[in-house]
Amino acid sequence: MTGFTREDTPVAMEGDGLDFRMQEAGGDMTVSFMHLPQGADMAPALKGLEGDLCQCPHWGYVLKGRLRMRTASGDEFYEGGQAYYWGPGHAPEALEDTDLVEFSPTAEFNAVIDHVKAQAG
C-alpha cells in the first residue's frame, strides 16, 4: 500500500499555470493531481481523439475552483467540494483556478496524456 502527496508525485506536464502530476498507484490505476488555471481549455489538446474528447474515465474530487465539462450530450459544471465520475467523452475547461485529485485506468490515461503531449509539440 502506498500513500501519495502532490509534492511527491512526479510532474507530467507544466506550463502557462498548468501543473499536472501523475503516478501509477497500483491496481492498474493512476493517481493525478492537477492545477488548471482559469481559462485553461483542454479541448484543443484533445483534437484527434474519438469525438475530439477524452476517452478515459476518471474518478476524483474537486479540491477548489469551478470547471465546465463539455460532453457530447451537453455541458456539465463542477466545483470545489464535489466528487465526480467522468465517463469517456469529455473535455474540461477551468472557469476558475481549479485543483483536482483523480484516479484513472493507467493504460487509457497514458494514451490520452501521450496524445496531449504530442499536440503540445
Side-chain angles (χ1 to χ4, degrees):
M1 298 212 176
T2 304
F4 300 91
T5 66
R6 180 187 170 284
E7 292 75 24
D8 293 336
T9 301
V11 173
M13 290 185 290
E14 64 183 343
D16 295 328
L18 171 76
D19 182 47
F20 177 73
R21 299 163 183 252
M22 62 187 279
Q23 176 148 350
E24 192 165 352
D28 297 323
M29 297 292 284
T30 289
V31 62
S32 59
F33 297 88
M34 286 180 268
H35 173 78
L36 298 171
Q38 181 176 2
D41 184 354
M42 296 303 297
L46 299 171
K47 294 261 187 226
L49 294 175
E50 182 182 333
D52 294 331
L53 299 169
C54 177
Q55 295 301 316
C56 179
H58 310 281
W59 294 260
Y61 186 78
V62 182
L63 297 167
K64 73 170 195 165
R66 187 165 185 267
L67 56 87
R68 171 177 38 202
M69 189 61 66
R70 293 186 196 93
T71 71
S73 59
D75 292 349
E76 299 176 15
F77 296 86
Y78 299 86
E79 59 187 33
Q82 288 184 303
Y84 59 83
Y85 166 71
W86 296 331
H90 58 270
E93 176 189 9
L95 302 175
E96 299 174 3
D97 285 353
T98 302
D99 291 322
L100 312 164
V101 60
E102 68 181 29
F103 301 87
S104 311
T106 299
E108 291 99 319
F109 200 33
N110 283 338
V112 172
I113 297 306
D114 289 347
H115 176 83
V116 168
K117 285 180 177 180
Q119 295 293 88

